[in-house]
Amino acid sequence: MRIAAGTPEAMLLVAKNLSRTFRGGGMLRRGGDVRALNDVSFNLAENQTLGIVGESGSGKSTLLRVILRLTPYDSGNLAFDGAEVASLTGTALKDLRRRVQPVFQDPYATFNPRFSIGSSIGLGFELLGEHRRQDVREEVRRLLDDVGLDPDLERALPHELSGGQRQRAAIARALAVRPDLLLLDEPTSALDVSVQAQVLNLFKDLRRRYGFSLILVTHDLPVVGFMCEHLLVMKSGEVVERGATATVIGNPVSEYTRTLIDSAPEVSGTKTQPVARP
Amino acid sequence: MIRRLNWRRYGLVVVTLPVVAMVFLAAALAPFIAPYDPFELDVLMMLQGPGADHLLGTDELGRDILSRVIHASRVSIVVGLVAVAIGATGGTLIGVLAAHFGGAVDSVLMRFMEIVFCFPAILLAVILMANLGTSVLNAMLAIGIIFIPGFARLTRAVAQTVQRQSFLEAAICLGMGPVRLITREILPNVIGPVLVEAAVAFSYAVLLESALSFLGLGAQPPEPSWGNMINTGRGFIDQAPWISLAPGAALFVTVFSFNLLGDGLRDVLDPKLHD
Amino acid sequence: MTDPGQAAERLLEVEGLTIVLRHRRRPPAAIARDVSLHVNAGEIVGLIGESGSGKTMTAKSLIGLLPDRMEVVSGGVRFRGRDLLDGGDPGRVRGRDIALIPQDALHALNPVKTIGWQVGEPLKVHGGWRQRRIATVVGDLLERVHIPDARRRAGDYPHQFSGGMQQRALTAMALSMEPPLILADEPTTALDVTIQAEIIDLIGELRDATGASFLFISHDLALVSSFCDRIYVMYAGEIVESGTTDAIFNHTRHPYTRALIGAAPRLAGNPERLPTIPGRIPRPHEEIRGCRFRERCPEAGAACGEAPRLETAGGNHAYRCWYA
């Protein structure tokens, strides 16, 4: 295990004072700018799991898109494996694209409806430079099997799959390029509890087998409690609290984290109303 | 084993396709199926009503109406196909580029499209043809240009929704460049609605061409087209209504069936209407 | 219903309700099978199940909102002893006797009408009230669901309200006719957890203040466990277990309920792997001999080839399993 040895070399992702402001002038926020990210700093060591928890407007989705380089940041630094993400071009950018893979929330929008599941997953192999059709197909079938799907589903169209199956297929697509970091955006919030349990277990199994780091962005604190060693709590674009998951949940320092913990529904036999603090 | 037809999905197309095919066949095989030469004058037989010799009667110069209607379909079909091809290609290109690059590219392209859109279609065609000269070729070009903004708007709207889907972001994160992104991920999703629109635009092109011919700007006499035939018949509407009615009916059936075909294609191309 | 004293406080009583989906080529498929449940006055009852369990259609049938191809083929629904399915106009029941808080707040509100206008709508439809009186009542309603500066904000349009406020406005709308029973169809799924907690608080508070009953439909066992008096667990169209919240969670009988409780992750003390249920929920048209959970059940045995009946374990606790 190489958990946060303290040396900068072991760090896969280092964010320092990241900020991102969306220019306002919309009808809702009267002319004001929205600070989606404000001075966000955190580290992620290789092979680590980090949960980013926050409610809508917390900036957690913006942070995720910044790490994927789908949206730029205004100031601060973001280094992936020692290289500043914003300045990457050409092959270096291609390399980042390959090494950081997302799994998105909406299982219905996650695949191009016009292509079979197999061809969507196979795309990753093609972009890696594997062009022999038979090899691609074998890899796709092996991956489908790895994520617990029937390999024959390679021919299925996205709408023929259930939400849980689609999310498994999305994981397969992400794994096709052998990423070092998987970014999960609410990957189970659209799924039933029993399906969620299967998918969460799958992430754990696959991490053991493939050895990738993982960032899980969610509003669901119990899911982070199950999945992640480290936790970052965000509110209105700022980091409110961070630390080892067990420590933060067991002993929250900030008022907001405590509210989140109190509001999180947990299975219990006793009728205790979740406490709201308006 | 014969699979049962999914009527909800294919019904409309199954019904309209034979009609559409008939129109195309008539155009392609006009010289072989037309009973008479469409240019052959027969002054002794002018303004004959429908009868055994001339199924749909004759016009003021004694030419066989049925033969002229069949030959006229060639003009309509060619104009429709070429105009739609120009409009769909140009419009799709502009729409997809505007949606994908956004910002200034989007603004410039779409403002320009809106300017074109502002002119009434027929007026724009007349203006274009006044500058290009009256010929079938120029009619096709003019109608095609009129279609570009419609296709551009449609594809831009579709491409923009695709742009927001997570499968597109997933593709970007796999390292796909803009060219592959457009050709592989965006275009396949745009092609369905464009085909539907094309069928409807085709019927509109046929209609527009007829209007232009009616105004004397399209196919030039003696070359028959439905529009100029209707125009000629105007002068004889009391004595010989069939001169206008026959090409009018042909025009109606063609336009109507292509409109229905457009609706039918929408059903067929929806991947969610599988059973 | 032999005991008249008990019957008096029964607000809603559903008995043997079976809903089928008609299909042109296949035989009709049962969406809900022989569903029996009741809601007493002043109770908050949870109806929970995963997608495909039939919970939503069961709820919709109560207010006559079933989709076209679905139909109640047997069973009865009584509201205060009056039969709701036997002809009559479901519109009369809707809003006045049973109100609905829908799931998707933004789409449930008309974007071009003010919040106040929409909250007052049921009063106009059912009461034929005067405009000024409606305005006063609407202000009171919005205050009751804790919308700050309620009277002024009644003039706002839906997009000026946050998600939580929209859901509060819908709750106010449901309350407007002071219905004895309110169906809440996953009213918090689209909301943030802290806002969800506020809405749940509000429901408890409204029950205490008005004596209204709630039938709370949800897929979230953990959420329901925090505030419901009694819970019905549905699986593949059937109620597999029902009882007080304490009975369901602390004296669980049915293997499906147990699996569902185990599958939910917790804040702390999670196992290395979450227990899961193999396979998937059967579709309505799939005929299964015997217990409908049999193929996924870790405890299935020889008896499961025959469909189990709902057994009573004393009190309100009932379960549908041979081996429980």
Side-chain angles (χ1 to χ4, degrees):
Chain A
M1 291 282 269
R2 284 183 286 169
I3 297 176
T7 54
E9 285 82 5
M11 288 298 161
L12 190 62
L13 196 68
V14 178
K16 238 187 224 145
N17 312 105
L18 273 185
S19 291
R20 168 80 165 128
T21 305
F22 288 108
R23 297 274 154 246
M27 281 181 294
L28 290 182
R29 326 226 167 202
R30 270 156 269 144
D33 293 348
V34 183
R35 303 214 84 178
L37 293 179
N38 193 2
D39 220 9
V40 172
S41 303
F42 68 91
N43 296 337
L44 179 74
E46 271 179 52
N47 219 7
Q48 231 178 21
T49 48
L50 172 71
I52 300 177
V53 178
E55 300 190 286
S56 45
S58 63
K60 61 184 196 299
S61 300
T62 307
L63 181 56
L64 180 129
R65 294 172 58 82
V66 162
I67 299 171
L68 287 166
R69 226 187 101 149
L70 290 171
T71 197
Y73 43 96
D74 308 323
S75 62
N77 298 93
L78 178 68
F80 179 77
D81 210 4
E84 186 70 27
V85 168
S87 59
L88 293 177
T89 51
T91 23
L93 177 58
K94 270 215 153 129
D95 198 44
L96 172 83
R97 291 284 188 228
R98 180 189 70 75
R99 294 177 65 189
V100 184
Q101 284 299 311
V103 174
F104 292 109
Q105 169 181 19
D106 180 2
Y108 294 90
T110 211
F111 280 100
N112 194 330
R114 300 276 159 195
F115 295 122
S116 72
I117 294 296
S119 83
S120 283
I121 297 173
L123 190 71
F125 292 113
E126 286 165 33
L127 291 166
L128 275 189
E130 177 59 76
H131 291 298
R132 287 185 45 211
R133 180 168 287 191
Q134 196 48 42
D135 294 351
V136 170
R137 189 153 170 248
E138 264 165 35
E139 286 290 302
V140 168
R141 291 179 66 86
R142 188 186 52 75
L143 260 178
L144 284 172
D145 193 49
D146 272 4
V147 298
L149 288 174
D150 181 350
D152 289 338
L153 282 177
E154 61 171 339
R155 296 220 195 104
L157 285 174
H159 72 266
E160 293 167 332
L161 268 54
S162 71
Q165 285 177 320
R166 245 178 275 197
Q167 218 48 318
R168 284 171 188 267
I171 298 165
R173 175 181 55 195
L175 291 179
V177 292
R178 296 260 165 182
D180 297 323
L181 173 60
L182 221 53
L183 292 184
L184 315 177
D185 183 11
E186 307 265 13
T188 58
S189 64
L191 305 177
D192 275 321
V193 188
S194 65
V195 183
Q196 164 176 282
Q198 294 169 356
V199 172
L200 292 181
N201 284 341
L202 178 66
F203 280 128
K204 282 203 169 176
D205 297 346
L206 290 172
R207 231 171 67 74
R208 213 167 292 133
R209 193 164 348 150
Y210 287 81
F212 47 82
S213 308
L214 187 144
I215 293 181
L216 172 68
V217 172
T218 182
H219 69 278
D220 196 334
L221 212 43
V223 168
V224 172
F226 173 67
M227 285 289 295
C228 304
E229 315 149 53
H230 296 265
L231 170 62
L232 195 71
V233 181
M234 290 187 68
K235 183 180 192 248
S236 315
E238 293 180 29
V239 174
V240 178
E241 189 158 357
R242 69 175 166 215
T245 307
T247 318
V248 174
I249 287 179
N251 218 338
V253 177
S254 89
E255 183 67 19
Y256 180 68
T257 311
R258 197 166 303 136
T259 311
L260 272 186
I261 292 170
D262 290 345
S263 307
E266 247 200 315
V267 173
S268 64
T270 47
K271 240 179 72 183
T272 48
Q273 296 235 34
V275 193
R277 284 155 220 247
Chain B
M1 199 184 92
I2 300 164
R3 280 187 51 209
R4 284 201 51 180
L5 187 69
N6 179 352
W7 276 97
R8 220 158 72 82
R9 190 158 183 235
Y10 295 106
L12 215 44
V13 167
V14 165
V15 174
T16 51
L17 217 48
V19 183
V20 170
M22 217 176 67
V23 176
F24 274 97
L25 270 179
L29 304 174
F32 306 104
I33 56 171
Y36 294 89
D37 181 337
F39 303 106
E40 190 186 287
L41 310 181
D42 187 349
V43 272
L44 295 178
M45 294 290 280
M46 58 187 222
L47 297 178
Q48 290 280 308
D53 283 349
H54 297 278
L55 280 176
L56 294 176
T58 60
D59 64 10
E60 82 285 3
L61 298 173
R63 294 174 294 195
D64 181 51
I65 301 267
L66 177 61
S67 304
R68 286 183 69 77
V69 166
I70 291 173
H71 273 270
S73 66
R74 304 184 118 183
V75 175
S76 301
I77 298 278
V78 170
V79 169
L81 285 180
V82 175
V84 166
I86 293 172
T89 317
T92 305
L93 203 66
I94 291 173
V96 168
L97 290 179
H100 187 68
F101 292 105
V105 178
D106 183 33
S107 302
V108 171
L109 285 175
M110 292 323 283
R111 283 310 86 73
F112 182 66
M113 287 296 100
E114 274 150 28
I115 291 170
V116 180
F117 224 46
C118 281
F119 291 93
I122 190 78
L123 191 64
L124 189 64
V126 170
I127 294 170
L128 283 169
M129 306 229 12
N131 286 300
L132 299 171
T134 54
S135 75
V136 176
L137 191 73
N138 289 339
M140 295 191 286
L141 204 61
I143 296 171
I145 290 170
I146 291 169
F147 284 162
I148 290 178
F151 279 102
R153 276 191 174 181
L154 173 78
T155 47
R156 176 171 170 267
V158 178
Q160 273 181 336
T161 49
V162 173
Q163 202 82 34
R164 281 192 291 269
Q165 307 273 314
S166 44
F167 69 79
L168 201 92
E169 301 200 322
I172 294 173
C173 292
L174 282 173
M176 232 191 235
V179 176
R180 279 190 86 174
L181 217 50
I182 288 175
T183 52
R184 203 200 122 104
E185 300 290 330
I186 299 177
L187 274 183
N189 284 285
V190 165
I191 224 86
V194 165
L195 271 181
V196 173
E197 178 72 8
V200 178
F202 183 90
S203 70
Y204 191 51
V206 170
L207 215 54
L208 261 178
E209 186 282 324
S210 298
L212 288 175
S213 295
F214 181 87
L215 295 172
L217 294 169
Q220 296 301 310
E223 181 81 45
S225 92
W226 291 336
N228 66 25
M229 288 176 74
I230 295 173
N231 190 21
T232 330
R234 216 162 40 104
F236 306 91
I237 200 79
D238 303 331
Q239 312 111 285
W242 53 87
I243 300 183
S244 289
L245 279 181
L251 185 62
F252 173 78
V253 170
T254 308
V255 169
F256 191 60
S257 54
F258 269 95
N259 267 311
L260 285 186
L261 184 69
D263 278 351
L265 282 177
R266 200 188 324 263
D267 299 342
V268 172
L269 293 169
D270 185 352
K272 288 178 203 84
L273 268 183
H274 285 292
D275 59 352
Chain C
M1 289 238 299
T2 41
D3 179 6
Q6 200 185 348
E9 62 161 348
R10 289 250 159 126
L11 204 54
L12 178 78
E13 185 147 39
V14 178
E15 246 191 75
L17 187 76
T18 299
I19 302 169
V20 298
L21 169 68
R22 301 234 174 263
H23 196 284
R24 252 175 293 172
R25 263 168 273 164
R26 287 196 286 257
I31 302 288
R33 295 157 190 262
D34 194 21
V35 170
S36 298
L37 60 86
H38 67 269
V39 179
N40 293 332
E43 243 186 341
I44 301 180
V45 176
L47 179 59
I48 78 133
E50 300 188 281
S51 41
S53 64
K55 62 183 188 302
T56 303
M57 291 309 152
T58 300
K60 284 193 169 171
S61 73
L62 303 180
I63 42 176
L65 285 181
L66 279 182
D68 282 346
R69 284 157 65 205
M70 290 190 196
E71 177 183 2
V72 174
V73 286
S74 66
V77 177
R78 269 188 302 278
F79 184 81
R80 286 188 163 145
R82 193 174 84 229
D83 197 331
L84 289 190
L85 293 179
D86 192 24
D89 173 20
R92 234 184 41 223
V93 178
R94 256 181 255 157
R96 183 174 296 193
D97 291 335
I98 306 178
L100 176 76
I101 306 177
Q103 186 178 114
D104 187 348
L106 187 57
H107 290 124
L109 288 165
N110 185 340
V112 300
K113 297 281 188 187
T114 64
I115 294 285
W117 189 93
Q118 299 186 60
V119 171
E121 184 69 355
L123 300 173
K124 280 170 252 169
V125 174
H126 290 281
W129 288 14
R130 289 276 174 75
Q131 202 56 52
R132 188 172 306 163
R133 196 167 153 218
I134 288 177
T136 321
V137 173
V138 166
D140 291 345
L141 284 168
L142 290 176
E143 240 160 42
R144 187 180 274 174
V145 295
H146 305 306
I147 285 177
D149 200 5
R151 265 158 235 286
R152 193 179 57 78
R153 301 218 56 181
D156 280 3
Y157 288 89
H159 73 266
Q160 293 167 298
F161 271 38
S162 68
M165 299 248 290
Q166 288 170 354
Q167 198 52 271
R168 283 168 190 275
L170 283 171
T171 307
M173 202 190 299
L175 289 173
S176 60
M177 292 305 294
E178 299 181 2
L181 176 63
I182 296 170
L183 298 183
D185 183 11
E186 310 233 15
T188 61
T189 31
L191 303 176
D192 277 327
V193 278
T194 52
I195 312 297
Q196 166 170 284
E198 288 172 26
I199 298 286
I200 297 300
D201 270 358
L202 177 67
I203 287 179
E205 184 192 313
L206 290 172
R207 186 265 303 265
D208 295 342
T210 65
S213 308
F214 285 85
L215 182 58
F216 193 96
I217 295 127
S218 177
H219 68 279
D220 192 340
L221 198 62
L223 175 67
V224 162
S225 76
S226 66
F227 71 99
C228 284
D229 300 311
R230 282 188 305 116
I231 290 172
Y232 290 90
V233 182
M234 275 188 90
Y235 175 79
E238 289 177 334
I239 287 182
V240 293
E241 186 160 4
S242 67
T244 59
T245 304
D246 173 64
I248 294 280
F249 288 94
N250 298 330
H251 309 282
T252 316
R253 293 294 194 119
H254 199 280
Y256 175 68
T257 315
R258 200 172 299 129
L260 215 49
I261 294 172
R266 285 141 213 262
L267 284 168
N270 280 300
E272 181 48 32
R273 288 175 61 87
L274 293 168
T276 56
I277 311 173
R280 55 167 179 77
I281 202 162
R283 306 215 169 85
H285 61 265
E286 285 174 55
E287 268 315 318
I288 292 171
R289 274 204 31 223
C291 173
R292 291 184 68 73
F293 188 56
R294 179 175 138 203
E295 281 166 19
R296 309 177 68 187
C297 183
E299 294 159 43
C304 302
E306 202 176 319
R309 273 202 235 118
L310 213 52
E311 302 283 340
T312 310
N316 275 320
H317 198 179
Y319 55 91
R320 196 186 289 273
C321 179
W322 294 114
Y323 294 96

